[in-house]
Amino acid sequence: MATIKGVVISKQLVYDPTGARYIKIDIIEEKELPGPVAAFSTQDEQTAQLMREVMPLVTQIVRSLPFGGGKIAVPRVTLWLADDEAEMFGDVDVGDIVLIIIEGGEIRIKPES
Amino acid sequence: MATIKGVVISKQLVYDPTGARYIKIDIIEEKELPGPVAAFSTQDEQTAQLMREVMPLVTQIVRSLPFGGGKIAVPRVTLWLADDEAEMFGDVDVGDIVLIIIEGGEIRIKPES
């Protein structure tokens, strides 16, 4: 079983060629970007010490760069619901948390209560 | 409760900025395009009879035009699943039928068995 904590980031009204309208709901997962990985040889104790001192500074610089750290949004689910289906699903708004549960050959999507 | 009969139309391998890979699964619903609607006044019996005779021909012509009839694909669900999640969901392939069930504030997606 896997549970994903999704966030609704967009709601949009779209029409198909027959004129029927759908509410398009985009759900993403927020993911921490890994910072720079401190992988260095620890055989030379003096160098290791120096690296440990420098690392916080490097991390800080990398985080200040665009995409150098912080959070990214990974798309997880997009739904197109007709009006009556959207009503059955319940009202979700932008910013709401939606749980995506994968278990036993089935995916369940429900707003966090 | 609403049940939608979805069809998997695309499977694609995509990567997020961290390098993690996801299987993007697009599920659509096949929808009949309505043919031309035979709406005419039936007050004049002679005209009505003529219209009834002409309609099959009109329908035939319209169906031969692009988008004049037949089926269209309406997108319903797009999923991005990590490898382990795709394994839990089960193997779906392009062309497979997937049921989308909306009931009691929850959406369930499962391959048709």
Side-chain angles (χ1 to χ4, degrees), chain A residues 23 36 65 75 78-79 81 85 88 94:
Chain A
I23 298 162
L65 301 174
T78 299
L79 300 168
L81 299 176
E85 293 159 8
M88 276 182 235
V94 165

Side-chain angles (χ1 to χ4, degrees), chain B residues 3-111:
Chain B
T3 304
I4 302 156
K5 195 180 151 194
V7 180
V8 176
I9 51 151
S10 123
K11 276 175 82 179
Q12 204 182 341
L13 213 54
V14 295
Y15 292 82
D16 75 8
T18 68
R21 77 179 200 180
Y22 297 87
I23 299 162
K24 180 172 176 258
I25 301 169
D26 289 303
I27 300 166
I28 56 106
E29 182 190 12
E30 284 182 353
K31 214 172 154 181
E32 290 283 337
L33 260 193
V37 182
F40 48 85
S41 165
T42 49
Q43 280 171 325
D44 181 351
E45 188 46 47
Q46 212 172 9
T47 313
Q49 180 57 31
L50 181 73
M51 290 298 262
R52 270 196 290 276
E53 276 165 25
V54 169
M55 270 315 288
L57 185 66
V58 173
T59 305
Q60 209 172 8
I61 291 166
V62 170
R63 284 207 181 272
S64 72
L65 301 172
F67 284 100
K71 280 181 184 171
I72 52 161
V74 182
R76 287 315 216 123
V77 178
T78 299
L79 300 168
W80 287 260
L81 299 176
D83 284 351
D84 56 329
E85 295 159 8
E87 213 170 281
M88 276 183 233
F89 180 52
D91 195 37
V92 288
D93 209 347
V94 167
D96 283 3
I97 290 167
V98 172
L99 297 178
I100 303 157
I101 301 152
I102 305 155
E103 191 179 18
E106 201 176 282
I107 293 176
R108 277 158 47 214
I109 303 163
K110 59 175 178 183

Side-chain angles (χ1 to χ4, degrees), chain A residues 6-12 23-29 75-80 93-96 98, chain B residues 78 80:
Chain A
V7 181
V8 177
I9 51 148
S10 124
K11 276 174 82 178
Q12 203 182 343
I23 298 162
K24 180 172 175 257
I25 300 169
D26 288 303
I27 300 166
I28 57 106
E29 183 189 15
R76 287 315 215 124
V77 179
T78 299
L79 300 168
W80 286 261
D93 210 346
V94 165
D96 284 2
V98 172
Chain B
T78 299
W80 287 260

